[in-house]
Amino acid sequence: METATDTTTRTFIQVSEVWVPQGDSLKLAAGDYGDLALFEEASRQETFARGEGLPGKAWAEARPVVLKDLDGSYFKRADAARAAGLTSAVAVPVFDGKALKAVLVVICSDDDTRTGAIEVWSEKDGLLMLDDGYYGAAKHFEWVSQHTHFPRGQGLPGGVWAAETPMLLRDLGSGYRFIRADSAGKAGLTTGLGVPIPVPGGRTYVLTLLSARGTPIARRFELWDARAARVGKAHDAVLVDGICAREGALWDPDNAGNEPQVTAWQGPIGRVLGTGAPVVETETHPAGYASMVALPIHKDGELAHIVAWYC
């Protein structure tokens, strides 16, 4: 079985970045670039005006944006990305009401074996339709997804839409709750994470990350509930679900009330609580994970949930 410190398995996502607004532009706050030193150097010299490049587009249009081909596009770092073998990216804006807290950007490379999915679903005429997605080598699953829609409450995207909370699904290839189970099983997809992405104006967006065993999105997932009514006090969060390749389930629903709990500024999850912005960290987890990403979800004026994944 794969261990937390196993670095031989390639992850689906190659680069993760957090861009934060400073004045009228976005500047890099943190990033995980692995061994892509030249691309990291190019990124640290870059800024984005509203509407400029991929982060700026997600900011200006107030929605998650998928860019499946960086080469020859509006991606400002296209030359550096090509040299690093990076091909596709997704930008996820984090809004607290109308205020932009940050833009999380994840960047992937493409080959004949890299399998997984990063999808953006949006509501149209009472159904969730695929806005766009990146699937790597899972071409048949991509075709099925393009021809699938979800009513509220159905499947992973529809379940997230109905509950307005992040959700984890296991065993995608055999799970009756996953509508695309047959094609997911054939593609080797095993774990699904669905995240609501609140934006100004109230339009519904759901981000789904579907992980395969050979090239996982991450090796560990965590869902934290930060709602004051759930936790008991503001500026705290409790772990309500999680799974990892080594440890299996990280939370036992029969032991509610005994979940791990953090407070503001306590570790990386606490830093998300304190700032309300995403966190990308490298080489900080005691279990030996090389990096982690924590994505906050704001709702009704409070930080409601935090989704974290570790590689």
Side-chain angles (χ1 to χ4, degrees):
M1 178 177 289
E2 175 184 302
T3 65
T5 55
D6 182 7
T7 58
T8 61
T9 302
R10 298 173 303 160
T11 53
F12 190 65
I13 295 172
Q14 295 286 98
V15 171
S16 300
E17 306 173 317
V18 175
W19 297 86
V20 297
Q22 292 187 15
D24 58 358
S25 65
L26 294 171
K27 297 186 178 181
L28 185 66
D32 172 25
Y33 297 90
D35 59 358
L36 303 178
L38 293 179
F39 185 76
E40 178 178 3
E41 181 181 351
S43 301
R44 294 195 180 280
Q45 297 173 5
E46 194 61 82
T47 61
F48 296 94
R50 188 184 182 94
E52 184 181 32
L54 181 60
K57 185 178 179 70
W59 180 14
E61 297 185 5
R63 66 180 181 91
V65 178
V66 178
L67 185 54
K68 289 194 286 191
D69 190 357
L70 305 184
D71 204 11
S73 71
Y74 57 83
F75 193 78
K76 288 181 66 178
R77 297 166 286 164
D79 290 343
R82 186 187 315 110
L86 301 171
T87 58
S88 307
V90 180
V92 181
V94 176
F95 284 95
D96 181 3
K98 295 182 179 180
L100 180 75
K101 303 293 290 186
V103 177
L104 173 69
V105 175
V106 296
I107 310 176
C108 304
S109 60
D110 198 2
D111 57 37
D112 293 336
T113 60
R114 196 177 298 270
T115 298
I118 304 174
E119 306 173 313
V120 174
W121 299 85
S122 61
E123 187 274 332
K124 182 179 180 182
D125 298 328
L127 296 169
L128 279 184
M129 306 286 193
L130 184 67
D131 200 59
D132 211 342
Y134 170 64
Y135 297 85
K139 301 303 181 186
H140 177 68
F141 185 78
E142 178 176 7
W143 183 90
V144 170
S145 302
Q146 291 169 343
H147 294 82
T148 303
H149 56 264
F150 295 94
R152 184 188 291 267
Q154 187 179 69
L156 179 58
V160 171
W161 181 17
E164 298 183 319
T165 63
M167 297 175 60
L168 269 174
L169 286 187
R170 287 87 163 161
D171 302 321
L172 297 186
S174 58
Y176 72 94
R177 295 176 61 195
F178 194 71
I179 303 303
R180 299 167 285 166
D182 182 63
S183 55
K186 292 176 180 177
L189 300 172
T190 57
T191 305
L193 170 65
V195 185
I197 307 297
V199 297
R203 186 174 180 186
T204 297
Y205 288 99
V206 174
L207 174 73
T208 51
L209 306 180
L210 309 180
S211 193
R213 187 169 288 106
T215 51
I217 295 283
R219 296 178 174 89
R220 175 186 177 114
F221 296 95
E222 297 174 348
L223 303 185
W224 295 80
D225 195 329
R227 293 171 293 184
R230 169 66 175 82
V231 179
K233 61 180 179 178
H235 310 303
D236 276 24
V238 295
L239 181 69
V240 293
D241 201 358
I243 189 171
C244 79
R246 184 186 63 179
E247 300 166 65
L250 302 180
W251 175 71
D252 182 358
D254 294 330
N255 288 327
N258 296 317
E259 308 96 329
Q261 185 163 341
V262 298
T263 191
W265 306 108
Q266 180 186 353
I269 298 298
R271 198 157 79 251
V272 178
L273 285 169
T275 63
V279 164
V280 172
E281 288 207 346
T282 58
E283 300 177 357
T284 60
H285 197 274
Y289 296 99
S291 64
M292 67 90 70
V293 176
L295 176 66
I297 300 141
H298 296 263
K299 181 184 177 185
D300 299 331
E302 71 170 350
L303 200 168
H305 302 277
I306 299 170
V307 174
W309 58 89
Y310 299 75
C311 298

